[in-house]
Structure formats: C-alpha cells, structure tokens
Amino acid sequence: MYDKNHERLRRARQTRAKISELRAVRLSVHRSNGHIYAQVIDASGAKVLASASTVEPEVRKNVKNGGNVKAAAEVGKRIAERSKQDGGEAVAFDRGGYKFNGRVKALAEAARAAGLKF
C-alpha cells in the first residue's frame, strides 16, 4: 500500500543516493507538524557535524510555535552558524522528500542568507 509518507521516503532515498555519489556534505531537513529539524552530515553519512531544531530552549524563547515559517527561518540561521563554526560552508541540500515550499524553503533561504552555499 502506497501513501504520502511512503512516496516522500522514496523521493528522499533517491536524493540521498545522488548526494552520496557526489561525496558532498549534506544539510538534511526533517519536519513534523510541530517542529522542524536540520542536521549537517559528513560525506560518509556516519557523523553529524552540526544540528539545530525548534525543540532547543534558545529557539523556543524566540518563537512561540515551532511549526511555522518564522521558526524554520530561525533554525536555518542557527544551522548555518554552527556549520560555519565547524569549517563547512558548502553543503548539498537534502529536503527529505518534502516539497521545496513553506517551512523547508524558509529554512533553506535563511541558511543561504547566513552564509551556507548550496
């Protein structure tokens, strides 16, 4: 039986396969109804270099709701800052099979504005 989540995971698997071919550091995004999460993962896929999400106390102080565009932009800014501290500015954007609009787009644009290149 195929449903929306199954199709999303299929798209995500194809994206990750292509990124692993390129041997690129990837910025992976996961969203739920209440929160959004971002991780910068090394080229081998074995180690998380940086992470940010709306469940962090510092982010919770700044945004009322973790499931909106404003919260996603805050997470994008934070993940870019943390990634640049670890020396990685160039990443491949892994949207996790989600459409590139709304919160996923806001996170990507905020990360780009804060200095990440993808």
Side-chain angles (χ1 to χ4, degrees):
M1 176 127 183
Y2 294 96
D3 59 356
K4 284 175 72 171
N5 197 47
H6 183 271
E7 292 300 310
R8 180 187 70 78
L9 292 173
R10 181 188 59 79
R11 286 190 302 271
R13 198 168 29 252
Q14 290 173 337
T15 303
R16 289 190 189 115
K18 184 61 179 180
I19 291 172
S20 69
E21 271 181 31
L22 299 172
R23 301 264 189 251
V25 174
R26 70 184 164 107
L27 170 59
S28 179
V29 175
H30 176 74
R31 68 177 171 87
S32 67
N33 286 337
H35 297 284
I36 192 158
Y37 309 86
Q39 293 180 324
V40 176
I41 303 169
D42 74 342
S44 68
K47 185 177 177 189
V48 175
L49 304 175
S51 66
S53 71
T54 54
V55 297
E56 297 172 1
E58 302 86 37
V59 177
R60 298 291 295 231
K61 289 176 188 172
N62 296 341
V63 292
K64 194 175 218 181
N65 179 6
N68 60 20
V69 172
K70 182 180 175 191
E74 180 72 23
V75 171
K77 187 175 85 173
R78 293 175 71 83
I79 194 70
E81 290 168 358
R82 291 178 183 174
S83 180
K84 284 169 41 179
Q85 284 176 354
D86 292 339
E89 286 192 16
V91 296
F93 188 66
D94 175 8
R95 58 191 170 86
Y98 301 109
K99 289 183 178 179
F100 190 77
N101 64 5
R103 292 186 285 157
V104 175
K105 184 176 179 181
L107 189 145
E109 289 176 347
R112 278 191 188 120
L116 274 186
K117 296 180 179 78
F118 52 91

